């Protein structure tokens, strides 16, 4: 046996590790935003469409979604949530927490086979400010995974300022996006989608079981913003 043959059959010889920044081209994918008429969803839709992504925003009322889409421009379309889910390759869930479970349950069929990106933060508010809630499933993302067994659920876009996202005077959003999920290929699609927005990077941050602390951190950012009159984001160093 030659040395070349030996190397080919030696289990110790591993393929080179994949470059974590070697991300797929997602420019041709259609992105739907459930809750696209709310501040966070509307801001994400605007930024992605401005970057050249095809975007459809969804709402319970199609006419409301169409009005918001016309306001955003950049080719954004509006439809009801069901049509938005059906027509999209990637569906971002940006609905209020109190309607999260009911909305996803009603769209289980339309979301089957879709890549779902949950960016909902379960929060409560009292006179002391914002605080994190702990869903029975562990997190909003894990609730989504439980309600959508035929979808590919990831979690991302939790820590973005809706004010900055919607401001047309701001060209870049200086922040990282923590992306969580069970399947590497799905996570990388979401990372690449985040990277379409100038100034953003998508960073792998673990599996869905780690989504609670990522969602909860928004309560801390709200406190930062109130104290410093800011629109704080996150940067992951040394990556």
């Amino acid at each position: 046996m030659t040395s070349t043959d030996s190397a080919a059959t030696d289990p110790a010889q591993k393929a080179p590790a994949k470059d974590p920044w070697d991300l797929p081209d997602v420019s041709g994918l259609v992105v739907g935003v459930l809750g696209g008429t709310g501040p966070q969803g509307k801001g994400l839709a605007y930024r992605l469409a401005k970057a050249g992504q095809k975007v459809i925003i969804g709402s319970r009322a199609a006419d409301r979604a169409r009005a918001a889409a016309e306001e955003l421009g950049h080719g954004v379309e509006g439809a009801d949530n069901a049509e938005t889910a059906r027509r999209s390759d990637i569906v971002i869930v940006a609905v209020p927490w109190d309607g999260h479970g009911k909305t996803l349950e009603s769209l289980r069929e339309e979301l089957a086979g879709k890549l779902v990106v949950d960016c909902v933060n379960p929060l409560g508010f009292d006179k002391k400010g914002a605080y994190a809630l702990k869903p029975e499933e562990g997190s909003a993302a894990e609730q989504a995974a439980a309600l959508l067994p035929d979808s590919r659920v990831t979690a991302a876009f939790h820590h973005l300022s809706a004010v900055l996202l919607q401001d047309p005077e701001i060209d870049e959003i200086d922040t990282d996006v923590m992306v969580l999920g069970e399947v590497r290929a799905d996570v990388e699609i979401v990372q690449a989608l985040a990277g379409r927005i100038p100034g953003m990077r998508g960073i792998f941050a673990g599996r869905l079981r780690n989504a609670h602390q990522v969602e909860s951190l928004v309560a801390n950012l709200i406190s930062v913003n109130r104290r410093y009159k800011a629109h704080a984001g996150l940067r992951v160093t040394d990556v």
Side-chain angles (χ1 to χ4, degrees), residues 129 131 171 210 219 222:
Y131 61 94
D171 294 324
N210 293 320
I222 289 172

Side-chain angles (χ1 to χ4, degrees), residues 42 57 62-72 78:
K42 199 173 181 180
I57 59 174
D63 56 348
R64 185 180 176 198
R66 285 191 286 268
E70 186 175 349
E71 180 185 338
L72 290 175

Side-chain angles (χ1 to χ4, degrees), residues 25 43 153 156 204 217:
D25 178 9
V153 176
F204 171 66
L217 188 58

